[in-house]
Amino acid sequence: MDHATLRTTPLETFPPPERWDDWEELDAKAWPRRVARRYSLVPTICFNCEAACGLVAYVDKQDGRIQKVEGNPYHPGSRGRNCAKGPATINQVHDPERILYPLKRVGPRGSGRFERTTWDEVLQTLGARIRKAIVEGRKTEVMYHVGRPGHDGYIERVLQAWGVDGHNSHTNVCSAAARLGYTLWSGHDRPSPDYENAKFTLLLSSHLETGHYFNPHAQRIIDGKMKGGKLAVCDIRLSNTASMGDYWLAPRPGTEALMLLGFAHVILRENLTDWTFVRDWVDWRAYQQAKKRGGDFAAFQRDLAADYAFATPTHVAAVCGLDADLVERVGREIGLAGSAFASHIWRNAAAGNEGGWAAARCLQFVSVLVGAVASIGGTAGSGTNKFVPAPFSKPRPQDVWSELLYPREWPLAHHELSFLLPHLLKSGRGRIDTYFTRVYNPVWTNPDGAMWIEALSDEQLVGCHAVLSPTWNETARWADYVLPMGHATERHDLMSQETHAATWIGFRQPVHRVLAERQGKKVTWTWECNPGQVWEEDEFWIALSWHVDPDGSLGIRQHFESPYRKGERITIEEYYRWIFENSVPGLPAAAAKEGQTPLEYMRRHGCFLVQDSVYKTHEAELKPGDYEIDAEHGTVREGGKIVGVYAGGKCRTGFPTQSRKLELYSQTMVDWGWPELSTPVYVKSHVDESRLDRSKNEMVLVGTFRLPTLIHTRSANSKWLTELSNTNPVWMHPGDAARIGVEMGDLLRVSTRIGYYVNAVWVTEGVRPGVVACSHHMGRWTVKGDQVSGNHWQLHDVDLRKVSNTAYLMRRVKPTGAFASADKESEKVWWSSGGVHQNMTFCVQPDPVSGMHCWHQKVVVTKAEPGDRYGDVFVDTAKSMAVFEEWLAKARPAGKYGTGKLRRPQHLKRVCRPSDAAFQL
Ligand code: SF4
């Protein structure tokens, strides 16, 4: 692949790669003088959301300092266009308050006191603990908990080499619900829309296109609009994306699935359905059989329309609080767009509501009806537009199952019940010997953060806690080790994302190490070249695994030995060299064309387009074989098992489902105790209008969005991003403000079931009446007097105290403001707020099917009370446990439900899938 092909939209002034070793340009800061500076340019990958956009670091040849970070125009996903968070990497790198050395706790856990230690001591201590746990058969007591993932499959390999069941993630506070809805249809758990070719795009995405995966999607949505496509955005707020839409849909929170069924109704009624696609690719016979109907396809067509006849625009409008005309118009537009209908749901309704997963399922129903699946301008499954190359060794699956990760009550949970970890620990369901949190800040990010404080404070529940993070976070206060890991320019990772109808890989690189090695310097570990002794996880896990099994007797070491030097520890260079030489189709040839090895090519370019224009992968023909073909039912079997679909006179691969077709009806839901949810339906949310008492000022709080310049917990060490976004007032409609008697800027008390917070009001017509909204990712804090903290661009000093055995009051004692540091700009901070922390006041609400935390909260919103202060947070953890028990009772556990005494259906995905034996109860 040459650069001209990769460069789909040229940025005329960007340095061409052949000049990246020595690039000269004028120093902007020296203006109006013309001062030339010379740079080495090194490509890497952004680490500030999961989209993995390409970046290029400009390293000043004179002082060796990274002067700026810009987008890489040759990156197939981002094409040189980045959001503000990409270039802000430079702030993170030069943050004067960075933690530069590994730290070890002194004094009791939670005292906030740490001292510098060495990487050797860290590796020896943690390696010995993990080895002991493994040798003693405590293989569920080692846990790795990831916030921001940054590498496809790396840690899963490490954990499975150790033989532990210990992968935990943040996914059930993020996307698990939508993933279940998509999985039930196609086996792919995420959508990959082809926005730029869509005639009509419908987004239910409070994060994706306004903050997460932001840039690669946002630029293609606008490309689609520029080509004449239309855009509809469903969001309770007038988000940035909604403001660009042709339609803004703000239904009552929790009714989105019904709105989507309304669109399906219009499409069916108007006969805008692509019946040829449905006939060939949907398992419509299973649907008919489940409803005890016989008949042919024509009968199914009539029956399906009759089944959704109830979802008339009038009915939908009444329940959802929309105009019937709007439902009718959007439904028709989707139908007329046909296979060029692109759609996406992330967070938003899926993450907010009980039954939120059903919104994703109903959205996919609409796509299926119009044949917009993996089509040009339609929506593909994520697995077809993401490429994860295999590493040099694959350990066997572990034989154990941790009920702290996948408790039996949620057998269909798409990911770990991560946010319930403290509740499960405090319920006596297990303990953790060694716990790693990785770029993860559960005390601040998760609901019910005070429960995390209590669990992490208890050394009986968590024996040792190591924080792996590029920056200080609230959770680090309750750690035994704080281990500094690199930013985007300080680490290796390999990533691919479903940004559009193509597959690519992106290579994150430690910039200073790359340059040192180019100059012929010998480097053993990346931390030797990074600021201080900041390391990277890839090498840390190799070194730690070597300490866990130094002599190879546990069978672990073999997975960390070089494929090129028998018996010796693998280097990170060898790890990637093997992947690039053996697992990426087309890369060795492309490299050879430029006279490079595959590794040299990736070091030079930082990305590689594996395949462009990926569409209709389900139509790919099966390899020739001895198949049993049933042309009438459209099935292809091998040894009695369905392996494909017979369509268009050929044996085709179909979708990764049990039927190999799109599953309108789910036997899995029936088998596991949810027969009423076997087909696309609308589930009443926990914040449904019927469950609100408006006479008591009850409202719905939507907290599932963030301002687009925020990076989870890492915005706070970026001065530019904090200057852009430093408050998160409560959005309130003028009608509600008048009812409550507040005006712009007045203080509100927002009371949840377990506590309250105090914040200012922002009165706006950009939110639905009866609903309030508040961005999370703001309100960072540090306990006053702690010896170690950071991020004072945004953090407040707080007094965090217990006001009873179970209740906490957090009150800020110092506003954000100018501070002295090595960066003179810290003395110019003009803002005094860093926002208000709200997540701590949210009770846990695990969806009984998907296990997703249902973020929307039923709240009472009143004027602040006398004595309340801006930023106050109050929580009572006694109430937290009571709410947890209430939601636990809604679940339908494995054992009582399900098949064959299994913990979970074996055909559903599970992170770090254990052996079949471990699935047995
Ligand atoms: S969209 Fe994500 S990956 Fe891309 S520049 Fe922004 S933060 Fe970085």
Side-chain angles (χ1 to χ4, degrees):
M1 181 61 55
D2 61 17
H3 300 125
T5 313
L6 277 174
R7 194 170 176 169
T8 50
T9 309
L11 297 176
E12 295 298 338
T13 58
F14 201 84
E18 52 275 16
R19 293 183 58 194
W20 284 6
D21 270 341
D22 187 17
W23 176 252
E24 183 180 295
E25 65 181 33
L26 297 180
D27 181 353
K29 280 194 177 162
W31 188 88
R33 290 178 300 126
R34 294 176 65 82
V35 177
R37 279 184 179 271
R38 302 181 86 84
Y39 297 97
S40 296
L41 273 57
V42 181
T44 188
I45 298 294
C46 184
F47 191 40
N48 285 337
C49 87
E50 209 176 354
C53 294
L55 297 177
V56 177
Y58 284 60
V59 184
D60 192 312
K61 288 194 152 199
Q62 213 170 350
D63 60 13
R65 193 174 155 92
I66 300 174
Q67 289 294 351
K68 62 176 176 176
V69 178
E70 294 201 335
N72 179 357
Y74 307 104
H75 185 286
S78 54
R79 306 183 291 190
R81 309 170 197 174
N82 296 78
C83 77
K85 292 172 285 187
T89 299
I90 191 79
N91 293 168
Q92 300 170 314
V93 170
H94 297 318
D95 174 20
E97 295 182 311
R98 284 190 71 172
I99 295 167
L100 294 172
Y101 300 93
L103 300 176
K104 184 180 180 180
R105 165 171 69 90
V106 289
R109 195 185 286 167
S111 61
R113 298 207 314 275
F114 293 85
E115 64 183 11
R116 183 170 160 182
T117 187
T118 64
W119 281 116
D120 269 352
E121 189 272 326
V122 170
L123 294 169
Q124 276 174 27
T125 306
L126 297 179
R129 286 190 76 98
I130 294 166
R131 179 182 175 85
K132 191 163 186 288
I134 292 170
V135 168
E136 292 176 0
R138 293 181 284 115
K139 292 186 178 177
T140 56
E141 291 193 14
V142 177
M143 189 181 288
Y144 162 90
H145 205 151
V146 62
R148 165 56 40 237
H151 188 126
D152 297 319
Y154 191 96
I155 192 65
E156 289 85 342
R157 200 188 80 90
V158 173
L159 295 170
Q160 293 200 308
W162 294 357
V164 302
D165 193 29
H167 185 282
N168 212 338
S169 68
H170 75 281
T171 308
N172 263 0
V173 296
C174 175
S175 58
R179 288 173 191 256
L180 178 67
Y182 281 111
T183 296
L184 290 173
W185 268 106
S186 68
H188 292 292
D189 68 353
R190 308 205 249 188
S192 178
D194 183 27
Y195 293 126
E196 57 193 311
N197 295 308
K199 289 190 185 143
F200 194 89
T201 293
L202 172 61
L203 304 173
L204 289 85
S205 314
S206 53
H207 267 183
L208 207 71
E209 282 73 38
T210 59
H212 187 65
Y213 268 42
F214 173 27
N215 174 269
H217 279 179
Q219 58 180 269
R220 290 178 171 85
I221 290 166
I222 296 305
D223 285 352
K225 270 189 72 90
M226 299 290 277
K227 288 202 262 178
K230 285 197 179 170
L231 174 64
V233 178
C234 173
D235 197 325
I236 204 65
R237 304 172 306 119
L238 185 64
S239 65
N240 289 3
T241 318
S243 70
M244 301 298 290
D246 299 282
Y247 298 100
W248 173 36
L249 302 155
R252 291 194 177 102
T255 64
E256 292 85 350
L258 183 63
M259 176 192 78
L260 295 163
L261 293 181
F263 300 153
H265 166 93
V266 172
I267 291 161
L268 286 163
R269 191 195 66 207
E270 297 297 309
N271 202 21
L272 296 168
T273 312
D274 182 342
W275 289 116
T276 306
F277 177 84
V278 172
R279 184 198 62 211
D280 286 350
W281 295 104
V282 174
D283 191 7
W284 54 270
R285 285 189 178 81
Y287 179 84
Q288 290 293 76
Q289 276 163 17
K291 291 186 177 285
K292 306 220 181 321
R293 297 169 181 151
D296 54 10
F297 187 66
F300 165 73
Q301 290 174 280
R302 286 191 299 275
D303 290 341
L304 189 68
D307 290 344
Y308 289 95
F310 76 94
T312 61
T314 310
H315 170 67
V316 167
V319 177
C320 301
L322 293 169
D323 284 345
D325 179 53
L326 188 62
V327 178
E328 181 79 33
R329 269 193 295 154
V330 173
R332 276 175 193 265
E333 294 243 33
I334 294 170
L336 292 170
S339 61
F341 164 60
S343 64
H344 205 297
I345 182 166
W346 210 243
R347 306 243 170 141
N348 193 293
N353 297 288
E354 183 176 352
W357 58 274
R361 196 188 198 189
C362 291
L363 181 59
Q364 183 67 3
F365 182 34
V366 175
S367 292
V368 169
L369 285 177
V370 295
V373 177
S375 50
I376 294 174
T379 303
S382 56
T384 63
N385 289 345
K386 180 176 167 103
F387 180 77
V388 181
F392 74 102
S393 92
K394 182 170 167 49
R396 66 176 299 278
Q398 69 278 17
D399 291 316
V400 288
W401 185 290
S402 170
E403 287 228 11
L404 289 176
L405 302 171
Y406 288 89
R408 65 189 63 194
E409 285 86 352
W410 289 274
L412 303 181
H414 200 279
H415 272 68
E416 308 92 345
L417 268 293
S418 58
F419 62 97
L420 297 183
L421 186 61
H423 308 78
L424 298 170
L425 286 168
K426 283 170 74 97
S427 307
R429 295 197 186 204
R431 74 178 292 276
I432 305 172
D433 179 278
T434 307
Y435 182 51
F436 295 95
T437 46
R438 190 265 203 191
V439 199
Y440 184 46
N441 187 7
V443 165
W444 182 80
T445 304
N446 280 5
D448 220 351
M451 284 290 288
W452 282 86
I453 292 174
E454 291 185 357
L456 292 174
S457 300
D458 187 341
E459 292 184 41
Q460 296 302 312
L461 298 180
V462 181
C464 179
H465 174 204
V467 165
L468 307 166
S469 177
T471 184
W472 177 256
N473 67 42
E474 282 78 351
T475 303
R477 186 168 200 264
W478 287 274
D480 301 297
Y481 287 98
V482 181
L483 308 178
M485 296 289 152
H487 291 294
T489 54
E490 298 163 348
R491 53 189 298 125
H492 289 94
D493 292 303
L494 191 59
M495 288 191 72
S496 175
Q497 293 300 359
E498 62 279 13
T499 53
H500 62 298
T503 52
W504 52 265
I505 54 169
F507 192 29
R508 195 172 285 129
Q509 307 196 76
V511 166
H512 292 296
R513 177 178 180 157
V514 170
L515 288 177
E517 288 181 334
R518 263 188 216 166
Q519 288 159 10
K521 290 188 190 139
K522 171 112 183 65
V523 181
T524 305
W525 299 117
T526 294
W527 60 257
E528 295 164 20
C529 300
N530 276 344
Q533 289 184 351
V534 169
W535 209 356
E536 59 166 295
E537 280 99 334
D538 278 9
E539 285 188 345
F540 173 76
W541 297 120
I542 292 172
L544 184 59
S545 300
W546 207 259
H547 276 77
V548 172
D549 187 17
D551 57 6
S553 59
L554 299 182
I556 294 171
R557 199 178 106 155
Q558 59 178 311
H559 298 293
F560 301 91
E561 290 176 359
S562 166
Y564 301 101
R565 295 172 299 117
K566 197 168 170 24
E568 292 187 54
R569 187 174 59 205
I570 191 170
T571 64
I572 198 62
E573 184 154 295
E574 289 171 334
Y575 179 85
Y576 287 108
R577 179 185 152 192
W578 193 94
I579 289 176
F580 298 149
E581 286 176 354
N582 297 283
S583 294
V584 185
L587 175 56
K593 218 165 138 190
E594 296 192 11
Q596 295 166 347
T597 67
L599 178 64
E600 284 168 348
Y601 181 98
M602 289 303 289
R603 287 249 186 257
R604 284 282 166 186
H605 298 280
C607 55
F608 180 68
L609 179 64
V610 180
Q611 194 184 349
D612 208 355
S613 297
V614 178
Y615 295 104
K616 304 228 173 218
T617 50
H618 56 282
E619 291 185 2
E621 288 184 48
L622 287 172
K623 285 185 199 141
D626 190 13
Y627 301 120
E628 305 139 42
I629 297 170
D630 180 342
E632 194 200 329
H633 290 87
T635 57
V636 182
R637 292 174 193 267
E638 193 174 36
K641 187 171 179 268
I642 296 179
V643 294
V645 174
Y646 191 74
K650 299 220 163 91
C651 296
R652 304 183 187 272
T653 53
F655 299 90
T657 58
Q658 290 191 302
S659 64
R660 308 300 295 184
K661 293 188 179 178
L662 295 164
E663 298 193 341
L664 174 60
Y665 163 79
S666 170
Q667 187 61 41
T668 305
M669 294 299 281
V670 177
D671 291 344
W672 290 79
W674 300 96
E676 69 274 32
L677 306 178
S678 63
T679 56
V681 290
Y682 153 56
V683 179
K684 250 191 196 178
S685 168
H686 66 299
V687 292
D688 186 79
E689 189 63 33
S690 62
R691 292 174 175 149
L692 298 175
D693 187 343
R694 294 288 187 188
S695 70
K696 291 183 180 157
N697 270 346
E698 283 184 356
M699 302 178 82
V700 181
L701 170 64
V702 172
T704 47
F705 72 100
R706 71 177 138 103
L707 304 172
T709 50
L710 298 178
I711 317 164
H712 298 279
T713 72
R714 287 174 294 143
S715 329
N717 72 332
S718 164
K719 58 187 176 187
W720 296 344
L721 299 181
T722 303
E723 184 165 20
L724 287 169
S725 306
N726 47 59
T727 55
N728 60 336
V730 177
W731 298 39
M732 182 180 273
H733 191 271
D736 291 315
R739 175 174 51 80
I740 292 168
V742 289
E743 294 180 356
M744 186 78 89
D746 285 352
L747 288 187
L748 292 172
R749 181 186 271 212
V750 181
S751 300
T752 67
R753 294 187 64 192
I754 62 169
Y756 66 82
Y757 65 89
V758 179
N759 197 352
V761 64
W762 185 45
V763 182
T764 171
E765 290 186 348
V767 66
R768 187 184 169 87
V771 180
V772 283
C774 182
S775 167
H776 59 91
H777 286 186
M778 298 236 72
R780 302 291 309 280
W781 48 268
T782 184
V783 177
K784 184 175 179 251
D786 276 2
Q787 171 216 7
V788 178
S789 72
N791 307 314
H792 283 95
W793 306 105
Q794 197 182 97
L795 261 66
H796 299 96
D797 283 0
V798 299
D799 176 24
L800 175 63
R801 65 176 55 184
K802 272 190 131 174
V803 291
S804 78
N805 268 350
T806 57
Y808 299 76
L809 177 66
M810 186 163 71
R811 173 161 280 180
R812 61 188 60 191
V813 292
K814 189 164 152 245
T816 307
F819 61 100
S821 79
D823 182 344
K824 288 286 158 216
E825 290 193 349
S826 67
E827 289 162 23
K828 298 180 193 164
V829 171
W830 52 264
W831 53 94
S832 58
S833 171
V836 176
H837 182 202
Q838 62 174 347
N839 291 9
M840 192 179 256
T841 67
F842 294 175
C843 50
V844 292
Q845 302 180 141
D847 181 87
V849 182
S850 70
M852 172 88 204
H853 172 57
C854 306
W855 276 103
H856 292 351
Q857 300 279 320
K858 191 198 285 190
V859 292
V860 174
V861 184
T862 52
K863 276 185 186 178
E865 296 187 6
D868 280 354
R869 289 200 217 154
Y870 176 75
D872 279 359
V873 174
F874 172 83
V875 181
D876 186 345
T877 56
K879 292 182 181 165
S880 302
M881 282 308 274
V883 179
F884 162 66
E885 298 286 348
E886 192 183 294
W887 281 75
L888 183 66
K890 296 184 186 200
R892 298 185 188 171
K896 188 166 176 197
Y897 301 92
T899 51
K901 291 286 169 206
L902 291 174
R903 295 176 183 278
R904 167 185 185 80
Q906 286 181 314
H907 63 271
L908 280 190
K909 281 184 184 157
R910 211 213 98 158
V911 184
C912 278
R913 191 187 190 282
S915 64
D916 283 354
F919 278 73
Q920 298 294 329
L921 276 168

